[in-house]
Amino acid sequence: MWKAYSNISSAWFKNTTQIVDKYHWIRQVIWVFEAVRKQEQKKFSKFHRRYFKKSRQLLLKRFDYLSDEQKQQVNILLYASPTLSTAYFFKENFLKILDCKNRDSAKIALSDWINSAFDSDIPQLQRCANTMINWLSGILNSFSSTITNGFTEGCNNKIKVLKRNAYGYRNFNRFRNRILHIFSHQSINYQKQATA
């Protein structure tokens, strides 16, 4: 979701269909929810702030995937802040768009979500809705294709974690060898699956 990259790919690859990876457009809404959560968290007492901080993963997880006990915890958290409750409602409704089976049903669901977000009193949601409009074609194309760069994103994240844990590498060859080593087990697993 970078305009310069989009413009270059459109200029050089005219006959291709641009797809915005699901990871990237879902992340936009998660970022909005996190921004609202942090903003609301600052308004609470020290005890409540700690409780909210520990409940971050609980609030990010889809409500349908929570246990009954976890659902109760989430409801208690949302009761403490109407703004957070609204943001949570929008986050949950947005994640339901992922359940759409085709481009047309996704277009209807996403359009409804965008209109509701513009009507909300939360500026972060309004900006997010604007982003969704700007990238609407690419987002909807992700429902007609199974292509995703999830594997690449995972590899990239693994390399960043390796680099951070080592506090950087002075010797590029050692860094390269370490990367090849952490990914060497995957080629073995692929070979086993191919022979099975």
Side-chain angles (χ1 to χ4, degrees):
M1 293 178 81
W2 184 37
K3 212 67 184 168
Y5 178 77
S6 175
N7 293 340
I8 289 166
S9 62
S10 297
W12 287 93
F13 307 105
K14 290 181 171 57
N15 298 325
T16 57
T17 303
Q18 282 195 358
I19 299 169
V20 176
D21 196 76
K22 286 183 180 178
Y23 167 77
H24 291 285
W25 55 266
I26 293 165
R27 190 171 61 166
Q28 298 293 321
V29 177
I30 299 301
W31 281 344
V32 165
F33 179 71
E34 275 292 274
V36 173
R37 183 187 65 80
K38 288 172 187 174
Q39 175 188 295
E40 290 301 300
Q41 193 174 303
K42 288 175 186 173
K43 298 176 185 175
F44 293 116
S45 65
K46 193 174 181 180
F47 171 78
H48 280 95
R49 277 202 304 273
R50 280 184 187 162
Y51 189 73
F52 262 70
K53 195 172 185 178
K54 290 176 185 175
S55 303
R56 178 180 174 269
Q57 291 302 323
L58 203 60
L59 289 167
L60 288 177
K61 197 172 179 182
R62 280 181 81 167
F63 193 76
D64 296 341
Y65 300 157
L66 298 173
S67 66
D68 290 339
E69 187 183 326
Q70 289 173 328
K71 284 177 182 176
Q72 277 185 322
Q73 282 181 285
V74 167
N75 287 330
I76 291 165
L77 291 166
L78 298 179
Y79 185 73
S81 168
T83 308
L84 184 69
S85 183
T86 303
Y88 187 82
F89 169 79
F90 274 97
K91 189 249 324 172
E92 285 297 308
N93 275 356
F94 188 84
L95 293 176
K96 285 177 185 172
I97 296 168
L98 294 171
D99 300 332
C100 294
K101 302 293 181 200
N102 55 48
R103 194 180 198 277
D104 295 329
S105 60
K107 186 176 183 178
I108 294 164
L110 191 55
S111 298
D112 290 343
W113 188 90
I114 289 168
N115 291 331
S116 299
F118 276 127
D119 292 337
S120 74
D121 296 329
I122 302 172
Q124 294 99 322
L125 274 171
Q126 292 166 352
R127 284 195 296 272
C128 183
N130 208 37
T131 302
M132 294 298 160
I133 287 172
N134 292 338
W135 295 93
L136 190 62
S137 177
I139 290 169
L140 293 175
N141 287 340
S142 68
F143 285 91
S144 342
S145 172
T146 56
I147 296 170
T148 176
N149 65 345
F151 176 76
T152 311
E153 293 284 350
C155 292
N156 193 23
N157 185 51
K158 223 174 202 181
I159 292 166
K160 284 179 180 177
V161 169
L162 168 70
K163 191 173 159 187
R164 192 167 55 243
N165 286 344
Y167 297 99
Y169 280 87
R170 284 185 289 181
N171 185 322
F172 177 75
N173 285 331
R174 285 187 180 162
F175 182 45
R176 181 181 173 275
N177 288 341
R178 189 74 179 97
I179 291 167
L180 292 173
H181 175 71
I182 63 169
F183 287 109
S184 63
H185 72 280
Q186 289 182 335
S187 61
I188 294 165
N189 288 341
Y190 291 140
Q191 287 171 359
K192 283 180 183 176
Q193 287 173 359
T195 55

